[in-house]
Amino acid sequence: MATASDHAHPRRSCSLRTLTTTTPFPHSPPGRGTRTAPRPCRSRLPTRPRRTAARIVGVTALEYALLIPVKDGRTAKSRLGVGDDGERAQLMAAFARDAISAAAAVPGTAVHVVGDEAALAEVLDGLEVTVLPDEGEGQLNRALSRAAERLARPDLAIAVLLADLPCLRTADLASALSDGHDRRFVADAAGTGTTLLVAPAGSTLDPRFGPGSAAAHRQSGARPLDAELASLRLDVDTTDDLEAALRFGVGVHTAKTASGRL
Ligand SMILES: Nc1nc2c(ncn2[C@@H]2O[C@H](COP(=O)(O)OP(=O)(O)OP(=O)(O)O)[C@@H](O)[C@H]2O)c(=O)[nH]1
Ligand SMILES: C=C(OP(=O)(O)O)C(=O)O
């Protein structure tokens, strides 16, 4: 179960855009208000977001479905030269928990992890996400396209955030999601990969993740976001990346898990 110390975010309701109350919300963009600390919720298939309820309480309605693909920890982060398979799996889980915790706090956004629900049970324990099955047969882009098709709705934008972003700050993600209405992406710090792809409502996601994905997304017509968005660009694939992330500042899970490992 996630605790109140998860990125210092209070927990939220699974029905989105919850109620106005008194709990401060540390990483919210200015003026976005506060939240309750409701119960976490997970299910295999998402129900339609309850927008009516959001309208009744007069706060932000659902605008974005955010897909976060997470691999089974046993095969993840093979390029990370830290520890054995088990330790790498623990680090990957910590990166994912920090990224998901920050993402789940963006107003108007529902987080859907794409992956194997049973294998990820511990990683996702207590987080406010739904889980969509990985139907990609080993192909990340296929898994993302299938998940997007499951959620498709004319008024819903769909975005993909990779899970290896232990530094992610809610404000950076909120800023990127609200920067325009076109199909757009955020390149990683190296400029070659992609950490976020956003497809506006009514468009096709057309994900092109993998080696050289920044160029591939640009060629597909997506617009690169040029704002700083530092915490959204620091993906961790290698030990050097992890060191850079630790220097920048990681979330609580990664800080704890990485401690003494480098
Ligand atoms: N569900 C799902 N997630 C994936 C798949 N491939 C990659 N991911 C996730 O996508 C994100 C980016 O992937 P990579 O950086 O290549 O991560 P990785 O495959 O664990 O790392 P390497 O083994 O070093 O390539 C990470 O959050 C992965 O967990 C896939 O086939 N299915
Ligand atoms: C899948 C990607 O991530 P990475 O480069 O971290 O493997 C990507 O950037 O498209």
Side-chain angles (χ1 to χ4, degrees):
M1 184 68 68
T3 68
S5 67
D6 288 359
H7 255 273
H9 298 321
R11 285 184 225 144
R12 297 187 306 145
S13 151
C14 60
S15 64
L16 300 173
R17 309 310 63 93
T18 49
L19 317 170
T20 52
T21 57
T22 55
T23 310
F25 196 55
H27 294 305
S28 293
R32 290 297 192 123
T34 56
R35 295 184 195 289
T36 53
R39 288 176 300 144
C41 147
R42 255 190 302 134
S43 65
R44 185 157 184 81
L45 289 176
T47 54
R48 296 278 161 158
R50 281 182 267 158
R51 303 189 72 210
T52 310
R55 281 196 205 103
I56 288 169
V57 297
V59 288
T60 318
L62 178 64
E63 295 170 66
Y64 290 94
L66 186 63
L67 303 176
I68 304 186
V70 183
K71 245 187 197 176
D72 180 340
R74 290 167 302 180
T75 56
K77 290 292 138 211
S78 59
R79 287 169 283 171
L80 194 57
V82 175
D84 57 19
D85 286 357
E87 286 175 304
R88 275 198 304 279
Q90 283 175 14
L91 278 166
M92 185 284 297
F95 302 163
R97 283 187 73 85
D98 283 330
I100 292 167
S101 298
V106 177
T109 301
V111 176
H112 304 275
V113 167
V114 179
D116 181 330
E117 185 170 27
L120 296 174
E122 203 176 321
V123 176
L124 302 179
D125 189 24
L127 296 177
E128 190 202 334
V129 299
T130 57
V131 181
L132 294 173
D134 183 329
E135 299 177 314
E137 294 161 2
Q139 303 294 321
L140 174 59
N141 291 320
R142 187 185 302 168
L144 293 169
S145 292
R146 295 270 160 81
E149 284 162 16
R150 281 175 173 260
L151 299 174
R153 212 181 64 190
D155 58 346
L156 184 67
I158 297 189
V160 176
L161 175 79
L162 296 191
D164 52 1
L165 294 166
C167 302
L168 184 65
R169 306 282 201 268
T170 300
D172 277 348
L173 179 58
S175 167
L177 289 174
S178 60
D179 185 351
H181 298 283
D182 52 351
R183 191 164 157 277
R184 55 202 183 274
F185 70 98
V186 173
D188 64 11
T192 54
T194 304
T195 59
L196 178 77
L197 173 67
V198 187
S203 71
T204 303
L205 183 63
D206 190 14
R208 303 193 181 197
F209 289 91
S213 61
H217 283 129
R218 191 193 290 262
Q219 277 159 18
S220 74
R223 173 175 62 97
L225 295 186
D226 54 14
E228 186 179 5
L229 304 173
S231 76
L232 181 48
R233 297 185 190 271
L234 287 169
D235 59 342
V236 175
D237 292 315
T238 65
T239 309
D240 286 350
D241 295 338
L242 181 55
E243 285 171 352
L246 291 170
R247 281 196 300 276
F248 178 89
V250 294
V252 290
H253 299 289
T254 303
K256 190 171 164 197
T257 308
S259 173
R261 295 247 163 94
L262 288 179

